[in-house]
Amino acid sequence: MAKAKRTKDTLEITPLEATARMAVLAKEIERHDILYHQKDAPEISDAAYDALRKEYQSLHEYYPNLAPKGYNPEKKVGAQPAVGFTKITHAVPMLSLGNAFTDEDVEDFILRMRRFLNLDHDAPISLMAEPKIDGLSASLRYEKGKLVQGATRGDGTVGENITTNVMTIASIPHTLTSSTKYPVPDVVEVRGEIYMNRDDFMILNAQREAANESPFANPRNAAAGSVRQLDSSITAKRPLSFFAYALGEVSDMPFTSQQSLRKHMNHWGFALNEPSRLCHNALDLLTYYHEIESLRHTLPFDIDGVVYKVDDFALQQRLGFVSRAPRWAIAHKFEAERAQTVLKNILIQVGRTGALTPVAELEPVNVGGVMVSRATLHNEDEIKRKDIRVGDTVTIQRAGDVIPQIVEVDTSKRPKNSKPFIFPTVCPECGSHALREDGMAVTRCTGGLVCPAQAALRIIHFASRDAFNIEGLGEQRVLELWGDGLIKTPADIFALHNHQRDLAQREGWGAKSAQKLINAIEARRSIPFDKLIYALGIRQVGEATAKLLARHYKDLPTWRTAMIAAQNKEGSETWQALTDIDQIGPLVARDIVAFFDEDHNLKVLAALEKALTIQPPPVQKKTSVLSGKTIVFTGTLTTMGRSEAKAKAESLGAHVSGSVSKKTDYLVTGEDAGSKAAKAAEHGVSVLTEQEWLKLIS
């Protein structure tokens, strides 16, 4: 069978490249799913298909927010149905978890929560520890105790309706068992994992081989493929099981802790992921983790780590969420698998911000089920520290089972003529000087948009899902159009309608493809201000920082004027206003201001301003006395941590700043308040004690 085409032979090492790679993989996997599951005409071997799918899963696990729109990132197997599966919008998003890979990561997780909650260093936090099942996430909705809906996780916001299929799984109750002690809410959404036991998996594969059908690669694939059958009678014949471990939407809460919830779900009729344990500190968690790790291969089902969740629901609510993951839970993955191979060459890749990243080109080797032929070398210092040279025999591991990296060099096998690697001082893409600033680990190309690598990657970023989200304008298409001169800057995207006839005549396009792309572009002419800021690809400006900037400056003209005024005027009012924005320090501010110091960037912004309708940030309704107010915190708060206080203020519609100015509305003072109180008095700012602050927000 023909080998699947791949644009690269490695797992990607940056979020931008991961976005592009997952988009390519998603399309390739979906095509092979249709050939295999719908047309019964596979073009590649199961091993080749499995490698594609595993690479996608690994990338998505490390970059859960970058999955391409419309493709299920949770271990999807089988064809995307043309008809049959309707979409379901989750009432409560099915969020992902942050990852821990080492014991130190777990200790840091506990420490971060203590800091956020302002607890003493040795204050106990009870957490429920559970095995992390390797299956397909699913959500089950019950109304008046009756199962009315089943859905896949999908992209976390929208999943697929698999109600008919989940009805066939024996361990999923159709009616929940209620009692006085364990009442069932009128509406409750139970979440968990659909999986297949190893013994059942072996029997199923034996049956498939006897029937001259291709066996599944592993139990996870078998479970996912079985659930996503258009014909529920096929699902009914598969030995699937379900573990319950969380809630989505619920009309009332007859439980106050994770432990209590588990007891309720078990009484209602659900099997639970065991063995679990209530732990009270990092030592308890790590003891549990290493016990489960030693038992991993004796369990009847596959697991890829353990999950820790704060037990107390009240603490969960206080901790809240950061980005798309809860602060109160984390997945502790099992140790990375390793393999040994030969380093053939060291390549230099140029990212969209000009960073020169060294990449090891390897003799292909299987690491944890994925063929790896490249690995990150991080930076010049990493190469020197490990004394990595071309021709070395090296040990590779996939960090968190995702990004390949070189762990160590076997110098006993080093060729006699090997030489230390010399890091380049010129950009390999455009020949501009490559400089490393004092105190920085990264070497950067000084060419800016003159550098083709930076220019093309910035356009790819501009059109990516979390930026303008222009469907059909992925990495390969951008590179094609950029290489032919049709788009040289982001603004050129919105002039492509002038080339629609030319696009339709391009090889592999056609009138329908050209029209579809133009429609997708036109649909994005109206864009939220924060999305535009993020799309510009300014160094150190991610989605969160873009939202802060949009909320503070309101519109593009105001922001542009302020940033131009702040150039070379550190300490000026406009510079001070920028660094006063909470979470924006001097280093980030310099990169933002530097963007506006380039004439070509200003020209691109002007062109975009003409082509787009830029939506201002939504005006928050006056739901509290803090709506629209600017708050500054100083000193040590004793009741809640500074981070929790800031999060609470922002949730009530306030802006949190780092320094006092005449625009500050309230200064909240804790112990050892310092000089900010004097500055508040100078500007006539209202000063609140911690108790007055708590009374205000109550």
Side-chain angles (χ1 to χ4, degrees):
M1 296 183 183
K3 185 177 180 181
K5 293 181 179 179
R6 298 177 63 177
T7 57
K8 296 182 181 179
D9 295 319
T10 179
L11 295 177
E12 301 306 327
I13 57 176
T14 69
L16 177 61
E17 292 170 332
T19 301
R21 180 61 179 154
M22 282 195 285
V24 172
L25 284 169
K27 291 179 181 178
E28 190 75 355
I29 292 168
E30 189 167 36
R31 186 174 74 85
H32 290 300
D33 280 341
I34 293 171
L35 289 169
Y36 180 82
H37 291 279
Q38 290 187 354
K39 299 185 178 180
D40 195 26
E43 288 184 354
I44 61 174
S45 67
D46 288 340
Y49 170 84
D50 188 43
L52 291 173
R53 183 188 49 74
K54 281 194 174 183
E55 183 181 353
Y56 178 90
Q57 290 169 348
S58 296
L59 280 169
H60 174 260
E61 190 173 339
Y62 196 74
Y63 297 111
N65 303 329
L66 301 183
K69 188 176 181 181
Y71 181 80
N72 180 1
E74 283 296 302
K75 299 109 183 170
K76 175 182 172 183
V77 176
Q80 175 72 30
V83 294
F85 284 124
T86 56
K87 303 298 181 184
I88 289 178
T89 300
H90 300 299
V92 176
M94 294 185 72
L95 300 174
S96 57
L97 294 177
N99 290 328
F101 302 124
T102 65
D103 292 359
E104 289 75 18
D105 290 343
V106 176
E107 292 166 354
D108 288 345
F109 166 63
I110 300 294
L111 185 60
R112 286 196 303 271
M113 289 195 295
R114 285 201 181 104
R115 280 200 301 262
F116 188 91
L117 297 170
N118 203 29
L119 299 176
D120 292 337
H121 181 73
D122 56 351
I125 297 180
S126 295
L127 298 101
M128 182 60 66
E130 308 165 356
K132 185 177 182 296
I133 309 303
D134 201 8
L136 178 76
S137 297
S139 178
L140 309 172
R141 182 181 178 87
Y142 291 83
E143 296 178 0
K144 302 293 184 181
K146 302 289 186 182
L147 177 60
V148 297
Q149 180 179 285
T152 63
R153 178 186 172 195
D155 62 4
T157 301
V158 178
E160 293 173 315
N161 188 335
I162 54 170
T163 306
T164 306
N165 288 354
V166 299
M167 290 280 192
T168 70
I169 300 174
S171 57
I172 293 180
H174 291 196
T175 303
L176 301 184
T177 302
S178 185
S179 67
T180 303
K181 187 176 181 180
Y182 299 106
V184 176
D186 287 345
V187 174
V188 61
E189 191 180 327
V190 177
R191 291 174 175 176
E193 206 83 0
I194 297 173
Y195 69 99
M196 188 177 292
N197 277 324
R198 288 198 200 96
D199 289 347
D200 293 331
F201 167 72
M202 298 297 290
I203 293 171
L204 174 63
N205 263 357
Q207 292 171 344
R208 290 179 66 83
E209 288 175 347
N212 292 321
E213 295 177 333
S214 299
F216 287 108
N218 53 50
R220 178 181 55 198
N221 288 6
S226 300
V227 170
R228 298 194 69 261
Q229 292 292 329
L230 295 177
D231 184 352
S232 62
S233 66
I234 297 176
T235 306
K237 295 175 183 177
R238 304 280 172 82
L240 299 172
S241 299
F242 180 81
F243 279 137
Y245 53 63
L247 289 181
E249 183 182 15
V250 60
S251 57
D252 58 88
M253 296 280 279
F255 19 73
T256 59
S257 68
Q258 197 71 30
Q259 188 175 205
S260 173
L261 169 62
R262 287 176 65 86
K263 290 179 179 177
H264 276 74
M265 292 192 299
N266 192 227
H267 183 83
W268 294 344
F270 291 102
L272 306 178
N273 46 339
E274 298 285 6
S276 63
R277 183 180 301 168
L278 186 65
C279 302
H280 304 287
N281 51 47
L283 179 60
D284 287 352
L285 294 176
L286 296 175
T287 299
Y288 169 85
Y289 170 83
H290 292 296
E291 287 178 8
I292 293 297
E293 187 177 33
S294 67
L295 295 172
R296 178 181 183 182
H297 297 294
T298 68
L299 297 174
F301 43 81
D302 282 350
I303 62 174
D304 55 3
V306 299
V307 175
Y308 310 132
K309 305 172 187 175
V310 169
D311 187 49
D312 189 336
F313 282 178
L315 287 184
Q316 287 188 13
Q317 187 172 14
R318 282 180 61 188
L319 286 162
F321 300 84
V322 55
S323 186
R324 301 180 190 180
R327 288 190 181 92
W328 45 265
I330 199 167
H332 191 178
K333 298 299 188 67
F334 290 131
E335 189 175 346
E337 295 191 54
R338 296 185 175 187
Q340 201 172 72
T341 187
V342 175
L343 192 159
K344 298 192 299 182
N345 197 9
I346 295 178
L347 309 174
I348 300 296
Q349 293 182 344
V350 184
R352 66 177 171 85
T353 61
L356 271 60
T357 302
V359 177
E361 188 177 42
L362 309 164
E363 287 287 351
V365 62
N366 190 308
V367 185
V370 173
M371 291 302 296
V372 173
S373 59
R374 290 191 182 185
T376 178
L377 294 173
H378 299 292
N379 53 48
E380 181 180 8
D381 290 344
E382 181 78 355
I383 295 174
K384 289 181 178 179
R385 184 176 68 82
K386 294 179 178 176
D387 190 19
I388 299 171
R389 305 182 185 186
V390 174
D392 278 345
T393 297
V394 294
T395 299
I396 303 296
Q397 79 171 20
R398 290 170 57 214
D401 288 342
V402 181
I403 300 178
Q405 60 184 223
I406 292 177
V407 179
E408 59 187 6
V409 176
D410 187 347
T411 54
S412 68
K413 298 179 180 179
R414 172 171 285 169
K416 292 181 179 180
N417 61 346
S418 74
K419 297 178 181 178
F421 179 75
I422 299 175
F423 211 84
T425 56
V426 297
C427 173
E429 295 289 341
C430 69
S432 299
H433 290 297
L435 301 177
R436 180 176 174 181
E437 297 176 16
D438 291 341
M440 302 297 288
V442 177
T443 300
R444 295 185 186 278
C445 166
T446 60
L449 291 180
V450 174
C451 177
Q454 294 183 63
L457 286 173
R458 286 188 183 188
I459 295 173
I460 292 169
H461 171 75
F462 185 90
S464 66
R465 180 185 177 189
D466 291 329
F468 268 65
N469 191 22
I470 301 175
E471 292 189 24
L473 198 58
E475 178 184 25
Q476 295 306 308
R477 188 154 283 180
V478 168
L479 292 176
E480 176 188 340
L481 297 176
W482 188 89
D484 291 342
L486 289 178
I487 50 175
K488 287 297 184 182
T489 74
D492 294 335
I493 293 172
F494 298 95
L496 279 176
H497 61 277
N498 297 323
H499 305 281
Q500 185 169 349
R501 180 177 296 179
D502 294 335
L503 293 175
Q505 295 173 353
R506 298 175 74 87
E507 183 179 354
W509 283 62
K512 188 175 181 180
S513 295
Q515 185 62 57
K516 189 175 180 180
L517 176 59
I518 297 303
N519 291 345
I521 292 171
E522 294 302 312
R524 305 304 292 163
R525 280 190 183 271
S526 180
I527 193 78
F529 185 30
D530 64 289
K531 290 289 186 183
L532 171 63
I533 295 174
Y534 173 69
L536 295 174
I538 301 172
R539 186 179 164 196
Q540 297 197 75
V541 176
E543 292 180 88
T545 303
K547 288 179 180 178
L548 291 173
L549 291 167
R551 193 184 306 156
H552 184 83
Y553 292 103
K554 310 299 184 187
D555 57 57
L556 178 56
T558 302
W559 183 43
R560 177 173 48 210
T561 300
M563 296 305 94
I564 292 174
Q567 288 171 20
N568 302 318
K569 295 179 182 178
E570 294 188 16
S572 67
E573 184 176 344
T574 50
W575 172 267
Q576 190 65 45
L578 176 60
T579 54
D580 277 350
I581 301 173
D582 191 50
Q583 301 177 46
I584 295 182
L587 291 178
V588 177
R590 285 186 195 122
D591 283 334
I592 296 170
V593 171
F595 177 86
F596 288 85
D597 196 26
E598 298 284 348
D599 286 340
H600 54 77
N601 289 335
L602 294 177
K603 290 177 182 177
V604 169
L605 274 179
L608 287 171
E609 194 171 15
K610 290 180 180 179
L612 302 172
T613 299
I614 303 171
Q615 306 163 18
V619 178
Q620 285 190 296
K621 295 180 180 179
K622 295 281 185 178
T623 56
S624 79
V625 294
L626 294 182
S627 294
K629 303 294 185 182
T630 298
I631 314 291
V632 175
F633 294 92
T634 187
T636 303
L637 303 182
T638 57
T639 305
M640 63 174 65
R642 183 81 67 86
S643 296
E644 184 179 3
K646 289 179 179 179
K648 183 66 176 177
E650 289 173 347
S651 73
L652 294 172
H655 303 297
V656 178
S657 179
S659 60
V660 176
S661 70
K662 59 185 178 182
K663 296 181 180 179
T664 304
D665 293 292
Y666 294 109
L667 173 68
V668 180
T669 60
E671 298 176 359
D672 302 321
S675 61
K676 289 181 180 177
K679 196 167 185 180
E682 178 186 335
H683 290 295
V685 173
S686 298
V687 179
L688 303 177
T689 65
E690 184 176 357
Q691 293 307 312
E692 289 171 331
W693 156 254
L694 293 172
K695 184 178 179 181
L696 182 66
I697 65 174
S698 65

